[in-house]
Amino acid sequence: MLPQKSQQKGTVYDHALWAINKIEYAKNGLLKIGSCDWNDGFSAIGEKGEGSSVWLSQFYAIVARKMAKISRFMKDEKMAIELEKRVNGLLFRVDEI
């Protein structure tokens, strides 16, 4: 299948939200990790859809915290609150490990 031009249109903010909302949680509450990681030792962790990552969860928390500030700047308080909830949930999970 050849790449095609997307019919979706949006601002840079819209695209950033699309990316940050494309997450899945593992059973342990951390973010799932996919497969084919740049580090060969981690390449198969998420092949069966169950692998999770403390590092990925921490990185996401950093990005989501910054995105919450941007959401407030964009007058999107609902998204800012949602992102802060995600950050707090992930940091709580990471502290448990």
PDB file of all heavy atoms in Angstrom, residues 59-96:
ATOM      1  N   PHE A  59       8.941   9.186  30.683  1.00  0.00           N
ATOM      2  CA  PHE A  59       9.093  10.124  29.566  1.00  0.00           C
ATOM      3  C   PHE A  59       7.741  10.724  29.193  1.00  0.00           C
ATOM      4  O   PHE A  59       7.614  11.930  28.987  1.00  0.00           O
ATOM      5  CB  PHE A  59       9.729   9.412  28.367  1.00  0.00           C
ATOM      6  CG  PHE A  59       9.920  10.307  27.181  1.00  0.00           C
ATOM      7  CD1 PHE A  59      10.868  11.314  27.197  1.00  0.00           C
ATOM      8  CD2 PHE A  59       9.145  10.145  26.046  1.00  0.00           C
ATOM      9  CE1 PHE A  59      11.047  12.153  26.110  1.00  0.00           C
ATOM     10  CE2 PHE A  59       9.309  10.976  24.948  1.00  0.00           C
ATOM     11  CZ  PHE A  59      10.257  11.978  24.980  1.00  0.00           C
ATOM     12  N   TYR A  60       6.714   9.871  29.129  1.00  0.00           N
ATOM     13  CA  TYR A  60       5.373  10.359  28.812  1.00  0.00           C
ATOM     14  C   TYR A  60       4.921  11.368  29.859  1.00  0.00           C
ATOM     15  O   TYR A  60       4.313  12.394  29.521  1.00  0.00           O
ATOM     16  CB  TYR A  60       4.375   9.200  28.730  1.00  0.00           C
ATOM     17  CG  TYR A  60       2.980   9.663  28.389  1.00  0.00           C
ATOM     18  CD1 TYR A  60       2.594   9.809  27.073  1.00  0.00           C
ATOM     19  CD2 TYR A  60       2.067   9.978  29.383  1.00  0.00           C
ATOM     20  CE1 TYR A  60       1.329  10.257  26.743  1.00  0.00           C
ATOM     21  CE2 TYR A  60       0.795  10.426  29.069  1.00  0.00           C
ATOM     22  CZ  TYR A  60       0.429  10.565  27.748  1.00  0.00           C
ATOM     23  OH  TYR A  60      -0.822  11.019  27.434  1.00  0.00           O
ATOM     24  N   ALA A  61       5.206  11.105  31.128  1.00  0.00           N
ATOM     25  CA  ALA A  61       4.805  12.025  32.191  1.00  0.00           C
ATOM     26  C   ALA A  61       5.446  13.399  31.996  1.00  0.00           C
ATOM     27  O   ALA A  61       4.791  14.432  32.170  1.00  0.00           O
ATOM     28  CB  ALA A  61       5.156  11.454  33.562  1.00  0.00           C
ATOM     29  N   ILE A  62       6.719  13.419  31.597  1.00  0.00           N
ATOM     30  CA  ILE A  62       7.403  14.688  31.335  1.00  0.00           C
ATOM     31  C   ILE A  62       6.725  15.427  30.187  1.00  0.00           C
ATOM     32  O   ILE A  62       6.423  16.620  30.270  1.00  0.00           O
ATOM     33  CB  ILE A  62       8.896  14.452  31.025  1.00  0.00           C
ATOM     34  CG1 ILE A  62       9.616  13.963  32.275  1.00  0.00           C
ATOM     35  CG2 ILE A  62       9.548  15.716  30.464  1.00  0.00           C
ATOM     36  CD1 ILE A  62      10.999  13.402  32.005  1.00  0.00           C
ATOM     37  N   VAL A  63       6.471  14.712  29.093  1.00  0.00           N
ATOM     38  CA  VAL A  63       5.859  15.323  27.907  1.00  0.00           C
ATOM     39  C   VAL A  63       4.435  15.789  28.226  1.00  0.00           C
ATOM     40  O   VAL A  63       4.031  16.901  27.861  1.00  0.00           O
ATOM     41  CB  VAL A  63       5.861  14.335  26.721  1.00  0.00           C
ATOM     42  CG1 VAL A  63       5.046  14.871  25.557  1.00  0.00           C
ATOM     43  CG2 VAL A  63       7.292  14.043  26.290  1.00  0.00           C
ATOM     44  N   ALA A  64       3.660  14.956  28.927  1.00  0.00           N
ATOM     45  CA  ALA A  64       2.271  15.309  29.239  1.00  0.00           C
ATOM     46  C   ALA A  64       2.208  16.513  30.167  1.00  0.00           C
ATOM     47  O   ALA A  64       1.314  17.353  30.041  1.00  0.00           O
ATOM     48  CB  ALA A  64       1.557  14.110  29.858  1.00  0.00           C
ATOM     49  N   ARG A  65       3.145  16.610  31.100  1.00  0.00           N
ATOM     50  CA  ARG A  65       3.175  17.768  32.003  1.00  0.00           C
ATOM     51  C   ARG A  65       3.419  19.047  31.205  1.00  0.00           C
ATOM     52  O   ARG A  65       2.761  20.069  31.425  1.00  0.00           O
ATOM     53  CB  ARG A  65       4.253  17.583  33.063  1.00  0.00           C
ATOM     54  CG  ARG A  65       4.279  18.705  34.075  1.00  0.00           C
ATOM     55  CD  ARG A  65       5.315  18.472  35.146  1.00  0.00           C
ATOM     56  NE  ARG A  65       4.770  17.515  36.103  1.00  0.00           N
ATOM     57  CZ  ARG A  65       5.505  16.643  36.774  1.00  0.00           C
ATOM     58  NH1 ARG A  65       6.798  16.575  36.591  1.00  0.00           N
ATOM     59  NH2 ARG A  65       4.956  15.831  37.635  1.00  0.00           N
ATOM     60  N   LYS A  66       4.338  18.995  30.259  1.00  0.00           N
ATOM     61  CA  LYS A  66       4.601  20.163  29.412  1.00  0.00           C
ATOM     62  C   LYS A  66       3.405  20.467  28.506  1.00  0.00           C
ATOM     63  O   LYS A  66       3.053  21.620  28.286  1.00  0.00           O
ATOM     64  CB  LYS A  66       5.868  19.948  28.587  1.00  0.00           C
ATOM     65  CG  LYS A  66       7.129  19.930  29.428  1.00  0.00           C
ATOM     66  CD  LYS A  66       8.358  19.659  28.582  1.00  0.00           C
ATOM     67  CE  LYS A  66       9.598  19.562  29.415  1.00  0.00           C
ATOM     68  NZ  LYS A  66      10.096  20.820  29.917  1.00  0.00           N
ATOM     69  N   MET A  67       2.771  19.410  28.004  1.00  0.00           N
ATOM     70  CA  MET A  67       1.609  19.603  27.127  1.00  0.00           C
ATOM     71  C   MET A  67       0.434  20.190  27.901  1.00  0.00           C
ATOM     72  O   MET A  67      -0.360  20.949  27.339  1.00  0.00           O
ATOM     73  CB  MET A  67       1.227  18.268  26.475  1.00  0.00           C
ATOM     74  CG  MET A  67       0.267  18.399  25.343  1.00  0.00           C
ATOM     75  SD  MET A  67       1.013  19.322  23.978  1.00  0.00           S
ATOM     76  CE  MET A  67      -0.441  19.635  23.009  1.00  0.00           C
ATOM     77  N   ALA A  68       0.311  19.873  29.176  1.00  0.00           N
ATOM     78  CA  ALA A  68      -0.749  20.460  29.998  1.00  0.00           C
ATOM     79  C   ALA A  68      -0.585  21.978  30.073  1.00  0.00           C
ATOM     80  O   ALA A  68      -1.569  22.719  29.997  1.00  0.00           O
ATOM     81  CB  ALA A  68      -0.749  19.842  31.390  1.00  0.00           C
ATOM     82  N   LYS A  69       0.662  22.433  30.187  1.00  0.00           N
ATOM     83  CA  LYS A  69       0.921  23.877  30.202  1.00  0.00           C
ATOM     84  C   LYS A  69       0.527  24.508  28.868  1.00  0.00           C
ATOM     85  O   LYS A  69      -0.054  25.594  28.827  1.00  0.00           O
ATOM     86  CB  LYS A  69       2.392  24.148  30.508  1.00  0.00           C
ATOM     87  CG  LYS A  69       2.778  23.811  31.930  1.00  0.00           C
ATOM     88  CD  LYS A  69       4.253  24.071  32.167  1.00  0.00           C
ATOM     89  CE  LYS A  69       4.643  23.677  33.566  1.00  0.00           C
ATOM     90  NZ  LYS A  69       6.058  23.899  33.845  1.00  0.00           N
ATOM     91  N   ILE A  70       0.851  23.818  27.789  1.00  0.00           N
ATOM     92  CA  ILE A  70       0.482  24.322  26.462  1.00  0.00           C
ATOM     93  C   ILE A  70      -1.038  24.338  26.324  1.00  0.00           C
ATOM     94  O   ILE A  70      -1.613  25.287  25.780  1.00  0.00           O
ATOM     95  CB  ILE A  70       1.137  23.474  25.354  1.00  0.00           C
ATOM     96  CG1 ILE A  70       2.659  23.662  25.394  1.00  0.00           C
ATOM     97  CG2 ILE A  70       0.574  23.822  23.979  1.00  0.00           C
ATOM     98  CD1 ILE A  70       3.439  22.695  24.532  1.00  0.00           C
ATOM     99  N   SER A  71      -1.706  23.309  26.827  1.00  0.00           N
ATOM    100  CA  SER A  71      -3.167  23.253  26.761  1.00  0.00           C
ATOM    101  C   SER A  71      -3.787  24.435  27.495  1.00  0.00           C
ATOM    102  O   SER A  71      -4.764  25.022  27.029  1.00  0.00           O
ATOM    103  CB  SER A  71      -3.681  21.938  27.357  1.00  0.00           C
ATOM    104  OG  SER A  71      -3.278  20.855  26.553  1.00  0.00           O
ATOM    105  N   ARG A  72      -3.227  24.775  28.641  1.00  0.00           N
ATOM    106  CA  ARG A  72      -3.734  25.946  29.376  1.00  0.00           C
ATOM    107  C   ARG A  72      -3.532  27.219  28.552  1.00  0.00           C
ATOM    108  O   ARG A  72      -4.405  28.064  28.482  1.00  0.00           O
ATOM    109  CB  ARG A  72      -3.037  26.077  30.719  1.00  0.00           C
ATOM    110  CG  ARG A  72      -3.548  25.113  31.721  1.00  0.00           C
ATOM    111  CD  ARG A  72      -3.633  25.692  33.123  1.00  0.00           C
ATOM    112  NE  ARG A  72      -4.466  24.794  33.900  1.00  0.00           N
ATOM    113  CZ  ARG A  72      -4.064  23.615  34.376  1.00  0.00           C
ATOM    114  NH1 ARG A  72      -2.833  23.199  34.156  1.00  0.00           N
ATOM    115  NH2 ARG A  72      -4.884  22.859  35.059  1.00  0.00           N
ATOM    116  N   PHE A  73      -2.366  27.335  27.926  1.00  0.00           N
ATOM    117  CA  PHE A  73      -2.083  28.484  27.071  1.00  0.00           C
ATOM    118  C   PHE A  73      -3.096  28.562  25.932  1.00  0.00           C
ATOM    119  O   PHE A  73      -3.514  29.643  25.531  1.00  0.00           O
ATOM    120  CB  PHE A  73      -0.655  28.391  26.522  1.00  0.00           C
ATOM    121  CG  PHE A  73      -0.309  29.495  25.571  1.00  0.00           C
ATOM    122  CD1 PHE A  73       0.042  30.747  26.051  1.00  0.00           C
ATOM    123  CD2 PHE A  73      -0.343  29.282  24.205  1.00  0.00           C
ATOM    124  CE1 PHE A  73       0.353  31.770  25.171  1.00  0.00           C
ATOM    125  CE2 PHE A  73      -0.031  30.298  23.316  1.00  0.00           C
ATOM    126  CZ  PHE A  73       0.320  31.551  23.808  1.00  0.00           C
ATOM    127  N   MET A  74      -3.503  27.392  25.423  1.00  0.00           N
ATOM    128  CA  MET A  74      -4.463  27.326  24.318  1.00  0.00           C
ATOM    129  C   MET A  74      -5.912  27.421  24.813  1.00  0.00           C
ATOM    130  O   MET A  74      -6.848  27.257  24.053  1.00  0.00           O
ATOM    131  CB  MET A  74      -4.272  26.022  23.537  1.00  0.00           C
ATOM    132  CG  MET A  74      -2.911  25.894  22.872  1.00  0.00           C
ATOM    133  SD  MET A  74      -2.604  27.138  21.619  1.00  0.00           S
ATOM    134  CE  MET A  74      -3.759  26.645  20.357  1.00  0.00           C
ATOM    135  N   LYS A  75      -6.095  27.652  26.119  1.00  0.00           N
ATOM    136  CA  LYS A  75      -7.431  27.781  26.731  1.00  0.00           C
ATOM    137  C   LYS A  75      -8.210  26.468  26.662  1.00  0.00           C
ATOM    138  O   LYS A  75      -9.422  26.453  26.545  1.00  0.00           O
ATOM    139  CB  LYS A  75      -8.241  28.910  26.081  1.00  0.00           C
ATOM    140  CG  LYS A  75      -7.541  30.249  26.014  1.00  0.00           C
ATOM    141  CD  LYS A  75      -7.476  30.910  27.352  1.00  0.00           C
ATOM    142  CE  LYS A  75      -7.015  32.347  27.253  1.00  0.00           C
ATOM    143  NZ  LYS A  75      -5.708  32.586  27.765  1.00  0.00           N
ATOM    144  N   ASP A  76      -7.486  25.353  26.745  1.00  0.00           N
ATOM    145  CA  ASP A  76      -8.091  24.022  26.713  1.00  0.00           C
ATOM    146  C   ASP A  76      -7.928  23.401  28.107  1.00  0.00           C
ATOM    147  O   ASP A  76      -7.157  22.466  28.315  1.00  0.00           O
ATOM    148  CB  ASP A  76      -7.408  23.174  25.638  1.00  0.00           C
ATOM    149  CG  ASP A  76      -8.109  21.861  25.356  1.00  0.00           C
ATOM    150  OD1 ASP A  76      -9.067  21.518  26.077  1.00  0.00           O
ATOM    151  OD2 ASP A  76      -7.681  21.177  24.404  1.00  0.00           O
ATOM    152  N   GLU A  77      -8.668  23.947  29.054  1.00  0.00           N
ATOM    153  CA  GLU A  77      -8.546  23.544  30.455  1.00  0.00           C
ATOM    154  C   GLU A  77      -8.913  22.079  30.666  1.00  0.00           C
ATOM    155  O   GLU A  77      -8.285  21.382  31.461  1.00  0.00           O
ATOM    156  CB  GLU A  77      -9.423  24.440  31.339  1.00  0.00           C
ATOM    157  CG  GLU A  77      -9.255  24.209  32.810  1.00  0.00           C
ATOM    158  CD  GLU A  77      -7.875  24.580  33.343  1.00  0.00           C
ATOM    159  OE1 GLU A  77      -7.154  25.362  32.686  1.00  0.00           O
ATOM    160  OE2 GLU A  77      -7.522  24.081  34.422  1.00  0.00           O
ATOM    161  N   LYS A  78      -9.909  21.599  29.945  1.00  0.00           N
ATOM    162  CA  LYS A  78     -10.330  20.199  30.080  1.00  0.00           C
ATOM    163  C   LYS A  78      -9.166  19.253  29.750  1.00  0.00           C
ATOM    164  O   LYS A  78      -8.916  18.287  30.477  1.00  0.00           O
ATOM    165  CB  LYS A  78     -11.528  19.927  29.170  1.00  0.00           C
ATOM    166  CG  LYS A  78     -12.086  18.538  29.288  1.00  0.00           C
ATOM    167  CD  LYS A  78     -13.314  18.379  28.396  1.00  0.00           C
ATOM    168  CE  LYS A  78     -13.826  16.947  28.445  1.00  0.00           C
ATOM    169  NZ  LYS A  78     -14.961  16.748  27.554  1.00  0.00           N
ATOM    170  N   MET A  79      -8.450  19.524  28.673  1.00  0.00           N
ATOM    171  CA  MET A  79      -7.320  18.683  28.297  1.00  0.00           C
ATOM    172  C   MET A  79      -6.185  18.831  29.297  1.00  0.00           C
ATOM    173  O   MET A  79      -5.525  17.845  29.652  1.00  0.00           O
ATOM    174  CB  MET A  79      -6.829  19.019  26.882  1.00  0.00           C
ATOM    175  CG  MET A  79      -5.643  18.182  26.428  1.00  0.00           C
ATOM    176  SD  MET A  79      -5.845  16.383  26.557  1.00  0.00           S
ATOM    177  CE  MET A  79      -7.158  16.083  25.405  1.00  0.00           C
ATOM    178  N   ALA A  80      -5.940  20.047  29.776  1.00  0.00           N
ATOM    179  CA  ALA A  80      -4.883  20.262  30.768  1.00  0.00           C
ATOM    180  C   ALA A  80      -5.136  19.425  32.012  1.00  0.00           C
ATOM    181  O   ALA A  80      -4.226  18.759  32.518  1.00  0.00           O
ATOM    182  CB  ALA A  80      -4.790  21.741  31.127  1.00  0.00           C
ATOM    183  N   ILE A  81      -6.365  19.410  32.480  1.00  0.00           N
ATOM    184  CA  ILE A  81      -6.730  18.626  33.661  1.00  0.00           C
ATOM    185  C   ILE A  81      -6.562  17.140  33.386  1.00  0.00           C
ATOM    186  O   ILE A  81      -6.025  16.396  34.217  1.00  0.00           O
ATOM    187  CB  ILE A  81      -8.164  18.963  34.117  1.00  0.00           C
ATOM    188  CG1 ILE A  81      -8.203  20.391  34.666  1.00  0.00           C
ATOM    189  CG2 ILE A  81      -8.674  17.961  35.138  1.00  0.00           C
ATOM    190  CD1 ILE A  81      -9.594  20.932  34.893  1.00  0.00           C
ATOM    191  N   GLU A  82      -6.990  16.675  32.218  1.00  0.00           N
ATOM    192  CA  GLU A  82      -6.863  15.266  31.851  1.00  0.00           C
ATOM    193  C   GLU A  82      -5.390  14.844  31.808  1.00  0.00           C
ATOM    194  O   GLU A  82      -5.018  13.787  32.322  1.00  0.00           O
ATOM    195  CB  GLU A  82      -7.523  15.000  30.502  1.00  0.00           C
ATOM    196  CG  GLU A  82      -7.284  13.619  29.938  1.00  0.00           C
ATOM    197  CD  GLU A  82      -7.815  12.485  30.805  1.00  0.00           C
ATOM    198  OE1 GLU A  82      -8.791  12.690  31.546  1.00  0.00           O
ATOM    199  OE2 GLU A  82      -7.233  11.389  30.749  1.00  0.00           O
ATOM    200  N   LEU A  83      -4.558  15.661  31.220  1.00  0.00           N
ATOM    201  CA  LEU A  83      -3.139  15.342  31.130  1.00  0.00           C
ATOM    202  C   LEU A  83      -2.494  15.302  32.517  1.00  0.00           C
ATOM    203  O   LEU A  83      -1.680  14.429  32.812  1.00  0.00           O
ATOM    204  CB  LEU A  83      -2.416  16.333  30.226  1.00  0.00           C
ATOM    205  CG  LEU A  83      -2.755  16.221  28.739  1.00  0.00           C
ATOM    206  CD1 LEU A  83      -2.203  17.415  27.973  1.00  0.00           C
ATOM    207  CD2 LEU A  83      -2.230  14.920  28.158  1.00  0.00           C
ATOM    208  N   GLU A  84      -2.868  16.233  33.375  1.00  0.00           N
ATOM    209  CA  GLU A  84      -2.329  16.237  34.737  1.00  0.00           C
ATOM    210  C   GLU A  84      -2.759  14.990  35.507  1.00  0.00           C
ATOM    211  O   GLU A  84      -1.983  14.438  36.286  1.00  0.00           O
ATOM    212  CB  GLU A  84      -2.754  17.502  35.467  1.00  0.00           C
ATOM    213  CG  GLU A  84      -2.016  18.734  34.949  1.00  0.00           C
ATOM    214  CD  GLU A  84      -2.579  20.040  35.436  1.00  0.00           C
ATOM    215  OE1 GLU A  84      -3.708  20.063  35.995  1.00  0.00           O
ATOM    216  OE2 GLU A  84      -1.888  21.065  35.264  1.00  0.00           O
ATOM    217  N   LYS A  85      -3.971  14.525  35.279  1.00  0.00           N
ATOM    218  CA  LYS A  85      -4.431  13.279  35.910  1.00  0.00           C
ATOM    219  C   LYS A  85      -3.582  12.101  35.442  1.00  0.00           C
ATOM    220  O   LYS A  85      -3.198  11.238  36.237  1.00  0.00           O
ATOM    221  CB  LYS A  85      -5.905  13.007  35.585  1.00  0.00           C
ATOM    222  CG  LYS A  85      -6.866  13.864  36.332  1.00  0.00           C
ATOM    223  CD  LYS A  85      -8.300  13.508  35.947  1.00  0.00           C
ATOM    224  CE  LYS A  85      -9.283  14.444  36.583  1.00  0.00           C
ATOM    225  NZ  LYS A  85     -10.672  14.182  36.152  1.00  0.00           N
ATOM    226  N   ARG A  86      -3.297  12.058  34.150  1.00  0.00           N
ATOM    227  CA  ARG A  86      -2.460  10.982  33.613  1.00  0.00           C
ATOM    228  C   ARG A  86      -1.066  11.021  34.236  1.00  0.00           C
ATOM    229  O   ARG A  86      -0.515   9.985  34.615  1.00  0.00           O
ATOM    230  CB  ARG A  86      -2.342  11.092  32.095  1.00  0.00           C
ATOM    231  CG  ARG A  86      -3.631  10.830  31.361  1.00  0.00           C
ATOM    232  CD  ARG A  86      -3.403  10.977  29.879  1.00  0.00           C
ATOM    233  NE  ARG A  86      -4.646  11.136  29.169  1.00  0.00           N
ATOM    234  CZ  ARG A  86      -4.730  11.412  27.880  1.00  0.00           C
ATOM    235  NH1 ARG A  86      -3.623  11.535  27.150  1.00  0.00           N
ATOM    236  NH2 ARG A  86      -5.898  11.558  27.301  1.00  0.00           N
ATOM    237  N   VAL A  87      -0.498  12.222  34.319  1.00  0.00           N
ATOM    238  CA  VAL A  87       0.839  12.374  34.906  1.00  0.00           C
ATOM    239  C   VAL A  87       0.836  11.863  36.346  1.00  0.00           C
ATOM    240  O   VAL A  87       1.689  11.063  36.727  1.00  0.00           O
ATOM    241  CB  VAL A  87       1.301  13.849  34.864  1.00  0.00           C
ATOM    242  CG1 VAL A  87       2.548  14.052  35.715  1.00  0.00           C
ATOM    243  CG2 VAL A  87       1.547  14.300  33.429  1.00  0.00           C
ATOM    244  N   ASN A  88      -0.121  12.305  37.132  1.00  0.00           N
ATOM    245  CA  ASN A  88      -0.174  11.895  38.531  1.00  0.00           C
ATOM    246  C   ASN A  88      -0.353  10.389  38.665  1.00  0.00           C
ATOM    247  O   ASN A  88       0.262   9.759  39.521  1.00  0.00           O
ATOM    248  CB  ASN A  88      -1.281  12.646  39.263  1.00  0.00           C
ATOM    249  CG  ASN A  88      -0.956  14.121  39.423  1.00  0.00           C
ATOM    250  OD1 ASN A  88       0.206  14.499  39.463  1.00  0.00           O
ATOM    251  ND2 ASN A  88      -1.971  14.942  39.508  1.00  0.00           N
ATOM    252  N   GLY A  89      -1.171   9.792  37.830  1.00  0.00           N
ATOM    253  CA  GLY A  89      -1.371   8.349  37.864  1.00  0.00           C
ATOM    254  C   GLY A  89      -0.111   7.585  37.514  1.00  0.00           C
ATOM    255  O   GLY A  89       0.225   6.590  38.158  1.00  0.00           O
ATOM    256  N   LEU A  90       0.602   8.058  36.511  1.00  0.00           N
ATOM    257  CA  LEU A  90       1.838   7.377  36.111  1.00  0.00           C
ATOM    258  C   LEU A  90       2.924   7.536  37.154  1.00  0.00           C
ATOM    259  O   LEU A  90       3.629   6.586  37.467  1.00  0.00           O
ATOM    260  CB  LEU A  90       2.322   7.895  34.754  1.00  0.00           C
ATOM    261  CG  LEU A  90       1.534   7.389  33.553  1.00  0.00           C
ATOM    262  CD1 LEU A  90       1.969   8.148  32.302  1.00  0.00           C
ATOM    263  CD2 LEU A  90       1.709   5.904  33.369  1.00  0.00           C
ATOM    264  N   LEU A  91       3.063   8.712  37.703  1.00  0.00           N
ATOM    265  CA  LEU A  91       4.108   8.927  38.707  1.00  0.00           C
ATOM    266  C   LEU A  91       3.832   8.104  39.953  1.00  0.00           C
ATOM    267  O   LEU A  91       4.734   7.564  40.572  1.00  0.00           O
ATOM    268  CB  LEU A  91       4.237  10.407  39.038  1.00  0.00           C
ATOM    269  CG  LEU A  91       4.748  11.277  37.885  1.00  0.00           C
ATOM    270  CD1 LEU A  91       4.833  12.732  38.326  1.00  0.00           C
ATOM    271  CD2 LEU A  91       6.086  10.794  37.370  1.00  0.00           C
ATOM    272  N   PHE A  92       2.554   7.949  40.302  1.00  0.00           N
ATOM    273  CA  PHE A  92       2.183   7.102  41.426  1.00  0.00           C
ATOM    274  C   PHE A  92       2.591   5.669  41.138  1.00  0.00           C
ATOM    275  O   PHE A  92       3.162   4.988  41.986  1.00  0.00           O
ATOM    276  CB  PHE A  92       0.676   7.202  41.679  1.00  0.00           C
ATOM    277  CG  PHE A  92       0.195   6.270  42.756  1.00  0.00           C
ATOM    278  CD1 PHE A  92       0.441   6.565  44.085  1.00  0.00           C
ATOM    279  CD2 PHE A  92      -0.487   5.117  42.433  1.00  0.00           C
ATOM    280  CE1 PHE A  92      -0.004   5.709  45.087  1.00  0.00           C
ATOM    281  CE2 PHE A  92      -0.926   4.253  43.415  1.00  0.00           C
ATOM    282  CZ  PHE A  92      -0.677   4.547  44.746  1.00  0.00           C
ATOM    283  N   ARG A  93       2.318   5.183  39.941  1.00  0.00           N
ATOM    284  CA  ARG A  93       2.662   3.813  39.563  1.00  0.00           C
ATOM    285  C   ARG A  93       4.173   3.588  39.592  1.00  0.00           C
ATOM    286  O   ARG A  93       4.655   2.594  40.064  1.00  0.00           O
ATOM    287  CB  ARG A  93       2.149   3.478  38.159  1.00  0.00           C
ATOM    288  CG  ARG A  93       0.679   3.398  38.057  1.00  0.00           C
ATOM    289  CD  ARG A  93       0.209   2.147  38.732  1.00  0.00           C
ATOM    290  NE  ARG A  93      -1.220   2.055  38.554  1.00  0.00           N
ATOM    291  CZ  ARG A  93      -1.964   1.215  39.216  1.00  0.00           C
ATOM    292  NH1 ARG A  93      -1.448   0.397  40.082  1.00  0.00           N
ATOM    293  NH2 ARG A  93      -3.263   1.176  39.016  1.00  0.00           N
ATOM    294  N   VAL A  94       4.921   4.547  39.045  1.00  0.00           N
ATOM    295  CA  VAL A  94       6.370   4.408  38.996  1.00  0.00           C
ATOM    296  C   VAL A  94       6.943   4.387  40.415  1.00  0.00           C
ATOM    297  O   VAL A  94       7.861   3.632  40.721  1.00  0.00           O
ATOM    298  CB  VAL A  94       7.004   5.550  38.156  1.00  0.00           C
ATOM    299  CG1 VAL A  94       8.503   5.561  38.295  1.00  0.00           C
ATOM    300  CG2 VAL A  94       6.608   5.395  36.685  1.00  0.00           C
ATOM    301  N   ASP A  95       6.377   5.185  41.310  1.00  0.00           N
ATOM    302  CA  ASP A  95       6.843   5.204  42.697  1.00  0.00           C
ATOM    303  C   ASP A  95       6.582   3.882  43.404  1.00  0.00           C
ATOM    304  O   ASP A  95       7.274   3.544  44.353  1.00  0.00           O
ATOM    305  CB  ASP A  95       6.167   6.339  43.480  1.00  0.00           C
ATOM    306  CG  ASP A  95       6.719   7.710  43.103  1.00  0.00           C
ATOM    307  OD1 ASP A  95       7.806   7.762  42.502  1.00  0.00           O
ATOM    308  OD2 ASP A  95       6.064   8.713  43.418  1.00  0.00           O
ATOM    309  N   GLU A  96       5.571   3.138  42.971  1.00  0.00           N
ATOM    310  CA  GLU A  96       5.249   1.859  43.597  1.00  0.00           C
ATOM    311  C   GLU A  96       6.269   0.771  43.265  1.00  0.00           C
ATOM    312  O   GLU A  96       6.405  -0.194  43.994  1.00  0.00           O
ATOM    313  CB  GLU A  96       3.875   1.354  43.118  1.00  0.00           C
ATOM    314  CG  GLU A  96       2.709   2.095  43.719  1.00  0.00           C
ATOM    315  CD  GLU A  96       1.385   1.500  43.247  1.00  0.00           C
ATOM    316  OE1 GLU A  96       1.360   0.820  42.198  1.00  0.00           O
ATOM    317  OE2 GLU A  96       0.394   1.709  43.928  1.00  0.00           O
TER     318      GLU A  96
END
